[in-house]
Structures are given as C-alpha cells and as structure tokens.
Amino acid sequence: MEEVELEILERWVIRSTQRAKKRPDATSTGKNARKTSLSRWKFCVHADKRQMLQELTKSLQQKPTEAHVLWELAGCICSAVGAEGYRLYLAEKGDPEMLGLYPGDDERIEKGVTMMEKGSSLTVPVYVARTRQPLRLSRVDLDARFPDGLPNKIEADHALYEPVIQTDGQLAAVVELWRHDPFHEEDEEIASSYLVWGGIALHYAQLYLSMNKQRKLNDFLLAVVKSIFQDMVSMDTLIMKIMNFAQRLVDADRASLFLVDSKNKELYARIFDVGITGDGAGDTRTGGNTSGSEEAIAKVQNSTEIRFPLGKGIAGQVANTGEVLNIVDAYCDPRFNRTIDQLTGYRTKSILCMPIFIRGSIIGVVQMVNKHSGAFMKEDEEAFEMFAVYCGLALHHAKLYDKIARSEQKYCVALEVLSYHNTCSDVEVAHAQEDKIPDAIPGIEDYYFSVFKLDDFQKAHHAIYMFKDLFGLSRFDSDSLIRFTLTVRKNYRRVPYHNWTHGFSVANSMYSVIKHSQNTFKANECLALYIASLCHDLDHRGKNNKFMLDTESPLAAIYSTSTMEHHHFNQTVTILQQKGHNIFSKLTSGEYKQVLSYVKHCILATDLALFFPNKAKLSQIVTENSFSWRNSEHRLLIQAIAMTACDLSASAKPWDIQVKTVKVIFEEFYEQGDAEKLAGHVPSPLMDRDRKCELGAIQVGFLTGICLPCYRLLYDLIPETKPMLDQCQANLEQWRQIDEEIKRQKEMGNEVDALAFLDKMMETSEKIVEEQEETTDIEDRN
C-alpha cells in the first residue's frame, strides 16, 4: 500500500471490475459483479471532484448556453483524466459532417463557431461524430483509418476522443483530449461518467435557454401589442410598425408587407420595403438599399403603390397557397424576381415569406429579406407565426379604424348638408324678426283653440309668442328663440299627422295647462314641458315603434326601447347644438342639465307603452291620498301624465277639430298598414284600411281605455284641466253614436266606410254651423 500510487490502485480496481463483468460465470450476486458506471465513481478518491462539479454548476448559472456548458464540461473531464489540453468541436444541428471548432471565446460565441477546413482525408473528430463511440489514439501507432495521424496542433503523443450525446439521442459535440502518457480504458469511463452528468446539465441548459427565449419573445410580443393596439392609428402607420417589429424579431435587413385585394385578386403595397440605415434610423422606400444609384432610387420612390396578381413571385405564391417559404438562396429560386435588385443595386440573399391570417383568410403577406447572421432558421418561422397572429388582429382593427374614420368624415359631410337643408334660412329669420311679437293673441290659451286656422309660419309665430308669454326674454336670447322655433318647424316631416301642426297643437295644449294652473309646476319644469311638447315628435316618419322594430330599422338598432321618442329627443339636442339655436345658453350649468334632463323625461313619456305603468303608479298614489308636490318622483309622474294628456289633446278638442284630426290620423295609420302588408306582415285593425268600418269601435275603445283615464287622473291633481276631461267625455258620446249607427247599417247589410260617414257628418255639421252663423249675423244687423 505504501509503494503503490493512488492512480495505479484506482486503475487496478477498475480493471478488476471490467474483467468480472466480462466473465461468463459472474452473477448478479457475485462480489465482483459491479456496474461499470459505478466503478470509477464508487472508488474514486479525487479530492477535487466535488469542487469541480460545484464550479461547473456555478458557471452554468452564470452563462447557461449550450456551447458554454460543453466547454466547461470538457474542462472538467480534462482535469479528471489528467489531460494536458483539450478542444471542443460543436455539431451544427446534430450533423456529424458539420463540426465546428469552438475556441471558448465569449465574443466568438455570439458570432458562431468556426467551421473546420475540409480536407481530402477523414479527420478523427468527424469519424468519432459518425460512429458516436469513444476513441484512443497514439501518434506512434499508425491507424489506416487516419493516414494523416493526429492533428499537428496536438502537442502530445496520445489523444482521447469522446462524443457528447444529448438526452434525445442527438449528437452535440466531440471532445478532444491529449497528454504525453497513454490513455486507458478507465479514462474513457471517467470521461463517460462526466458526460452522463453533462448530458443532464445540457438538457436543463437547453430548457433554460428555451424558456428564456420564450420569455424574451413574450416580452417582445407584449411590446408589439402595446405599440399597435394602444392607439388607433392609420393603416400606413401600422404597416410601418409591423415591418419594424418584424425586422427586429428575425434580425432581417429588410421587411415588406403586402396586403391582399380580394376583389381584384391582387397583392398591393404603398410602403413595401423598410430597412435600417447605418445610423439606426428607419429607411423607408419602395425597394432597394442606399447602395443603389440616386436616380434609380428616386425612380422607384416615385411609385406610390405597387400591385401584382396573386400567385406571381414569392409573395404572390404565399398569398395564394398560405404556405411559408424559407429560401436560403434567392437567386437559385426561379420564383424570385430580380428586377428590384437590378434597379437598386441591392443584393437579396435569403428570404422568409409568411402569410397573415384573420378568421381563416389571408389578408396579407410579410416578406423578410437577408437575415444578418445567415439564413433564416426554423425558430424564426415559429416566432413569426405567433407574431403574425397579432399582425392579423392589428391589420383587421386598422381596417375597421379606417372605415370608422371615413364614416365619420361622411357623417360630418352628411350632417353639414342636413344642417343646411334642415336649418331655417336667414330670410325666414329676418321675416320673423320683422313680424313683431304681439303683446296678446286672443283665445290662444283656450283649451279648445283650433290650430287648423293658422298656416305653418303663423304657428311658428304663435309658438314664439307662447314662449315669451310664459318665460319672458330676460334669460333668453330673442334671435336664438326665433331660429330654434323655425328650425323645429322645418324638422317636422310632411306626414299626414305627426307633423308641425301636431307639434304646435301639443305645445299649445301644454301652454294652456301651464297658464290655467299657475304655480303648479316650477319654472324649469314649465320650460322643459313646453319645449318637450314643441319638439316631442321631431323627424317622425309616420310609423310607430313596432313598425321600426319589425322592419329592422337602423333607429331600432340604436334604440331598443321607445325608439322614436329617443330619436325625437336626440333631434332636439342636435338643434340646440347648432350655432345660434341654443335657447338655454344663458342658463347656469346646473339649470341647463336639469332642464335637459326634464326635456328627455317628458319626450320619452309620450311613448304610450310608458303611459300605462306611469298611470298605474300615480293612480295608486292618488288612491292612497299620498301624493305630495314636494316629492320629486311624484312630480316626474305628473309631468309624464301631463305630456300624454297634451299629446292626445285632439280627443279633448271640440267635435269638428276632433273629426279633422281623426281623419289625418287614420290616413297615416293606413299608410303604415299598407307598408306592413308589402313587407309581408299582417297589420293591426287600427292600421288596416280594409277594416274602416271598425273605426267607431276603435275610437270608443281608445277614448275609454286611454284618454279618459288620463284626463281623470290629471283632473284629480290639476283641477284646472277639467275642460279637457269634459270635452273628451262629450266626444266619447259622439263616437258611441257613430259606432252604433255603423253597426246598425252593417246589420242591414249595407257597406259602411267610416271615413266617408264622417265626411257626411262633417258636411251636415258645417251646414248647421253656417246656418247658425247666418242667423246670428241677421240678428246682429237687425
């Protein structure tokens, strides 16, 4: 024990183990039946083994690249076997024919390995890479496989070569070791033992690199998303961003983005080549590089857009097939178009061309040219496939943004045109200003005032008078009031019933309610009630909400409930926003918001669908004797009922006015019924002109079910409105008589046209009135 050196003793143990393993009589229970992989590690007494592994682990934590892992591992093996030097040959993509000498220099790690010079003779590292088996060579022993012997760079007589195999079976590298003493079998096992651990370390290094690369890609994509989605930008700006990001992602010299024109089956681009100049600034052009002549570049830049058919060229084929093309040498590919290179002097080498999808359709193609570090790799394709998803979404949203931007411009133009045609003219304003507002208009505050005796301009003149009489002009501008009223008149359509005459009539009825019930409503409530009454049917199309919903009108898509009423309010606000029309401009901010809120509430209340719940709530409050004018909710309810009462005021007018109004109402109803029939719908009896004989019964039901309950409730809270209730009851009796007469005629087998029947009644009524007026005149003359 004192004479034998430690190294010799370890070799004896390993050799003894190997011999025991090879003997046929060795059993698994024998004392010499040890596994080879355990022999060196079991009996190794190297004091520095643990330290070497710790240093290797620490080194891997600092720089966990594959090349560095293998380099450090080779250094550990060199120390373990007592070698005097070593070299590392990296296998590119596991190919034994593509070995590169790795010098272990950090700066050269970034630039890649240096490929071995190919000679006529088979080199030892390539042989070991092919066979994947360890090999020991001595300079003194000639080997026919290697006529050139050991490399001249090895300054020793003996060499050991070990292949490094990854956990997936792929070749990673070949380690070359040398020393002056011969290598033995146990040295191979020592190296193999280290390589087992090294394979695991290499696997985890690859996992770390993969995760780190994925993290960087995720960070990059996050930056992309923030950049292209944080602001709505134009298509050209987005294309510039996409191309710049694409260049950075795959380290390309140039990038182009072509969009698909599905209609013309073409690819097109306004900006189709973005590169990085020497100072790092973006160099955008329609082709080429700064190396081209100025004349050629200017010629290409003068083209604002290029177009070519789908299927033509590399980009065209990708757009046509949806398949990725990764071309290592562009000039060897027959699909490559050399025209731009010839024009600009730029040299295209490698190309990566990929499609961009949205909803399964190709909307564009991105083409990257000349990767700075060589050819485009598979990992570039994978990274860009993920990037392309965000490109597709961004391009899709940019197209939508462009459509929205164009729509907004069209909207502004349309609004300007409509504003011109739907706004009162300066001539009309001047005429109204010349026609001074009188101090009084006899009979205008009467509940039974007839609007049929006034023309449209006179109605506007009377509307201005009623506003001035109610609110004065101390808080309002006279010119704004005139412009507002005349523009409101112009924005009522020429439909049979829901026209300017109806708007004025409702405003006149509300004026009468306010005048006869002094101090019932507050000042801002009165202002809102009057303006809401005047504007409550602005731009009415002569069709009800149900028709709008059934025919899928754009208005119904905007407002799902109270469709037309919301539109009437928005039209009111639109008029107020026009220059010189804001009659509320002198109100305080708080008053303005309150009045506008009341106006909206009052206009929406004219929807009969809301009348029934409003009536039910208020009726219960009145029945319980709990109504309070101090309660804001109670006040809103009485405002709503007052709006409905004025909207239906034709039923509370004298009989001759009632009949005239009913005729135009049903003229409008029957027009809607005709439209419903054309659309394939069955109109209600109210809208069906083929059921005119039911008009009397319809009116009786309408007055009984809606009008009288409304006026009774209004009378309970505002007794001054009793004339409206009385006249409504009187009209109901007339309609009952007409309904009974129509039924009697039908029982007799006579065809009855209710409207014609009304005409005869009106003629008779008018003759009676004329005779009474003549009698009165004669009596006056006498």
Side-chain angles (χ1 to χ4, degrees):
M1 293 292 292
E2 293 176 357
E3 296 296 330
V4 178
E5 294 181 358
L6 179 61
E7 285 292 326
I8 296 174
L9 182 60
E10 289 178 346
R11 288 175 191 163
W12 289 350
V13 172
I14 293 173
R15 289 175 183 174
S16 175
T17 305
Q18 292 290 342
R19 291 193 184 102
K21 178 182 177 182
K22 294 177 181 178
R23 284 202 302 268
D25 59 341
T27 62
S28 60
T29 57
K31 62 180 180 179
N32 293 325
R34 299 181 183 275
K35 291 183 179 180
T36 305
S37 60
L38 292 177
S39 60
R40 176 61 175 165
W41 290 87
K42 181 72 175 178
F43 300 104
C44 181
V45 290
H46 284 312
D48 59 344
K49 182 175 69 174
R50 177 180 297 177
Q51 182 179 355
M52 283 191 297
L53 294 177
Q54 289 176 346
E55 291 177 356
L56 178 58
T57 303
K58 183 178 180 181
S59 176
L60 295 181
Q61 291 175 348
Q62 295 174 349
K63 190 185 294 184
T65 63
E66 291 185 31
H68 188 70
V69 169
L70 294 171
W71 180 257
E72 293 294 331
L73 180 62
C76 291
I77 296 174
C78 180
S79 299
V81 300
E84 297 171 11
Y86 66 95
R87 276 200 292 261
L88 178 67
Y89 299 93
L90 299 176
E92 184 176 338
K93 298 182 179 179
D95 187 355
E97 309 298 329
M98 300 288 290
L99 290 182
L101 179 62
Y102 178 72
D105 183 71
D106 286 348
E107 186 175 346
R108 296 188 68 178
I109 292 175
E110 299 175 1
K111 296 181 179 179
V113 300
T114 303
M115 301 304 297
M116 292 181 60
E117 296 180 2
K118 295 183 179 179
S120 57
S121 301
L122 179 64
T123 61
V124 180
V126 173
Y127 175 81
V128 173
R130 289 177 181 175
T131 61
R132 300 193 177 195
Q133 296 295 326
L135 180 65
R136 284 177 281 137
L137 287 177
S138 297
R139 197 180 296 278
V140 295
D141 297 330
L142 296 177
D143 193 320
R145 294 172 298 180
F146 313 108
D148 295 338
L150 293 177
N152 294 327
K153 293 181 179 180
I154 295 180
E155 300 175 355
D157 296 330
H158 304 281
L160 172 62
Y161 293 86
E162 285 281 348
V164 182
I165 310 299
Q166 301 184 59
T167 54
D168 59 359
Q170 189 175 17
L171 177 70
V174 174
V175 179
E176 182 182 62
L177 306 164
W178 65 82
R179 69 184 183 190
H180 290 288
D181 296 330
F183 287 97
H184 303 283
E185 186 178 355
E186 59 269 22
D187 293 314
E188 291 183 16
E189 182 159 351
I190 291 172
S192 299
S193 301
Y194 274 85
L195 289 175
V196 170
W197 184 90
I200 298 173
L202 186 62
H203 175 67
Y204 281 100
Q206 290 172 339
L207 288 179
Y208 174 83
L209 290 174
S210 178
M211 292 174 62
N212 191 46
K213 186 175 181 180
Q214 187 63 44
R215 181 184 60 80
K216 290 182 179 179
L217 178 60
N218 292 340
D219 291 343
F220 175 80
L221 292 176
L222 182 60
V224 170
V225 172
K226 287 181 179 179
S227 177
I228 63 182
F229 284 106
Q230 65 183 356
D231 297 314
M232 293 296 285
V233 296
S234 67
M235 181 64 77
D236 287 345
T237 303
L238 178 65
I239 289 173
M240 285 294 301
K241 286 189 175 186
I242 288 177
M243 288 194 284
N244 285 327
F245 277 120
Q247 281 181 276
R248 289 170 50 194
L249 180 64
V250 298
D251 193 27
D253 184 54
R254 296 277 169 182
S256 303
L257 174 61
F258 302 93
L259 299 177
V260 175
D261 183 351
S262 301
K263 182 179 180 180
N264 298 316
K265 302 204 178 292
E266 291 179 328
L267 283 178
Y268 70 95
R270 290 186 295 273
I271 306 169
F272 71 93
D273 198 358
V274 174
I276 303 298
T277 59
D279 59 358
D283 173 31
T284 307
R285 61 184 75 252
T286 54
N289 199 310
T290 54
S291 60
S293 65
E294 293 183 1
E295 294 81 3
I297 294 174
K299 184 177 180 181
V300 177
Q301 284 181 320
N302 286 336
S303 176
T304 57
E305 183 178 87
I306 65 166
R307 283 181 173 269
F308 53 91
L310 290 177
K312 183 179 180 181
I314 294 172
Q317 182 171 348
V318 171
N320 210 20
T321 64
E323 298 178 355
V324 178
L325 285 181
N326 189 346
I327 300 172
V328 178
D329 190 345
Y331 278 79
C332 293
D333 195 300
R335 296 164 295 189
F336 175 64
N337 184 4
R338 306 182 184 188
T339 305
I340 299 297
D341 278 13
Q342 293 170 354
L343 183 63
T344 63
Y346 184 73
R347 176 74 178 183
T348 300
K349 299 176 183 177
S350 56
I351 296 176
L352 177 60
C353 195
M354 304 193 71
I356 296 177
F357 290 90
I358 188 70
R359 295 179 180 176
S361 300
I362 298 175
I363 63 170
V365 173
V366 174
Q367 182 173 281
M368 279 76 72
V369 178
N370 291 356
K371 185 177 176 70
H372 289 133
S373 58
F376 293 102
M377 312 290 288
K378 183 66 176 177
E379 59 187 16
D380 294 324
E381 297 180 23
E382 294 172 352
F384 192 83
E385 281 180 2
M386 188 177 297
F387 173 70
V389 174
Y390 296 99
C391 291
L393 291 173
L395 288 171
H396 181 64
H397 282 83
K399 285 185 177 181
L400 292 179
Y401 171 76
D402 284 348
K403 287 183 179 179
I404 292 172
R406 287 195 299 270
S407 297
E408 286 182 351
Q409 296 303 320
K410 290 180 180 179
Y411 168 76
C412 290
V413 173
L415 189 63
E416 184 180 352
V417 173
L418 291 174
S419 176
Y420 173 79
H421 290 286
N422 286 355
T423 303
C424 62
S425 65
D426 292 336
V427 175
E428 291 173 319
V429 173
H431 178 46
Q433 290 172 338
E434 291 173 2
D435 193 0
K436 299 297 182 182
I437 301 174
D439 295 330
I441 297 179
I444 194 170
E445 62 187 62
D446 191 340
Y447 283 117
Y448 303 150
F449 181 80
S450 174
V451 298
F452 292 111
K453 61 185 179 182
L454 303 175
D455 61 31
D456 284 352
F457 185 80
Q458 287 176 323
K459 294 184 185 80
H461 188 266
H462 281 50
I464 295 170
Y465 164 79
M466 291 187 291
F467 184 95
K468 178 184 176 183
D469 184 44
L470 288 175
F471 313 112
L473 295 177
S474 60
R475 295 197 304 161
F476 305 96
D477 180 67
S478 177
D479 289 343
S480 296
L481 175 61
I482 292 172
R483 289 184 182 276
F484 177 82
T485 306
L486 292 175
T487 298
V488 166
R489 179 194 69 167
K490 203 165 188 177
N491 277 267
Y492 272 95
R493 296 196 180 195
R494 295 186 180 277
V495 293
Y497 175 64
H498 289 96
N499 50 33
W500 167 235
T501 298
H502 172 66
F504 172 78
S505 177
V506 175
N508 173 249
S509 296
M510 184 59 72
Y511 167 77
S512 300
V513 171
I514 295 172
K515 286 288 289 184
H516 287 89
S517 57
Q518 296 290 337
N519 302 322
T520 298
F521 296 106
K522 297 178 181 179
N524 286 342
E525 290 177 336
C526 292
L527 180 60
L529 285 165
Y530 180 76
I531 296 300
S533 299
L534 192 68
C535 303
H536 80 285
D537 271 334
L538 277 173
D539 196 48
H540 199 291
R541 286 88 188 280
K543 307 293 187 295
N544 60 15
N545 291 334
K546 184 178 181 300
F547 182 87
M548 294 295 172
L549 290 170
D550 291 343
T551 57
E552 298 180 351
S553 165
L555 283 176
I558 301 173
Y559 315 111
S560 57
T561 59
S562 300
T563 301
M564 292 306 301
E565 287 71 26
H566 275 103
H567 179 59
H568 303 325
F569 171 71
N570 282 340
Q571 287 297 107
T572 304
V573 174
T574 300
I575 294 173
L576 286 170
Q577 290 175 341
Q578 293 186 36
K579 184 178 179 180
H581 288 70
N582 190 359
I583 56 177
F584 302 145
S585 60
K586 292 185 179 181
L587 301 180
T588 65
S589 177
E591 288 176 328
Y592 186 92
K593 290 180 180 179
Q594 185 184 53
V595 170
L596 211 58
S597 175
Y598 284 153
V599 169
K600 182 176 183 179
H601 165 71
C602 291
I603 290 179
L604 293 183
T606 58
D607 183 1
L608 280 180
L610 299 180
F611 164 72
F612 297 102
N614 289 335
K615 179 181 74 72
K617 292 178 185 176
L618 191 57
S619 296
Q620 184 177 359
I621 293 171
V622 172
T623 302
E624 295 172 352
N625 199 26
S626 58
F627 181 86
S628 173
W629 288 100
R630 296 180 181 179
N631 188 313
S632 58
E633 292 185 6
H634 294 180
R635 297 187 73 90
L636 288 174
L637 286 172
I638 189 60
Q639 290 174 28
I641 296 302
M643 285 297 300
T644 302
C646 293
D647 192 20
L648 306 178
S649 60
S651 62
K653 295 284 187 179
W655 178 246
D656 59 328
I657 300 175
Q658 157 82 148
V659 172
K660 287 182 180 180
T661 306
V662 168
K663 287 181 64 177
V664 294
I665 287 175
F666 276 88
E667 181 182 346
E668 186 173 290
F669 283 175
Y670 292 152
E671 287 183 2
Q672 175 176 323
D674 295 341
E676 288 177 331
K677 289 177 182 179
L678 288 175
H681 301 293
V682 178
S684 66
L686 187 68
M687 309 287 180
D688 193 348
R689 69 171 65 250
D690 295 331
R691 303 176 70 173
K692 290 180 181 178
C693 59
E694 300 179 22
L695 187 148
I698 290 172
Q699 281 298 105
V700 170
F702 177 68
L703 294 178
T704 304
I706 297 176
C707 298
L708 278 178
C710 177
Y711 292 122
R712 287 195 184 104
L713 189 56
L714 186 66
Y715 168 71
D716 288 339
L717 296 173
I718 306 177
E720 292 84 354
T721 60
K722 191 173 186 300
M724 301 178 81
L725 174 60
D726 293 341
Q727 187 60 51
C728 183
Q729 289 174 329
N731 290 335
L732 175 59
E733 294 303 319
Q734 291 277 8
W735 283 113
R736 281 176 175 162
Q737 293 177 16
I738 292 174
D739 183 39
E740 290 174 359
E741 179 63 24
I742 291 175
K743 288 179 180 178
R744 188 171 65 253
Q745 292 291 334
K746 287 181 67 177
E747 289 175 357
M748 295 171 61
N750 298 327
E751 291 292 334
V752 181
D753 185 337
L755 290 178
F757 185 76
L758 284 176
D759 288 339
K760 290 182 179 179
M761 288 189 63
M762 284 303 302
E763 290 177 5
T764 303
S765 177
E766 287 173 358
K767 288 181 180 179
I768 294 173
V769 171
E770 289 176 0
E771 291 175 358
Q772 290 177 347
E773 289 178 350
E774 289 177 0
T775 302
T776 303
D777 291 340
I778 293 173
E779 290 177 353
D780 290 341
R781 285 196 298 272
N782 292 333

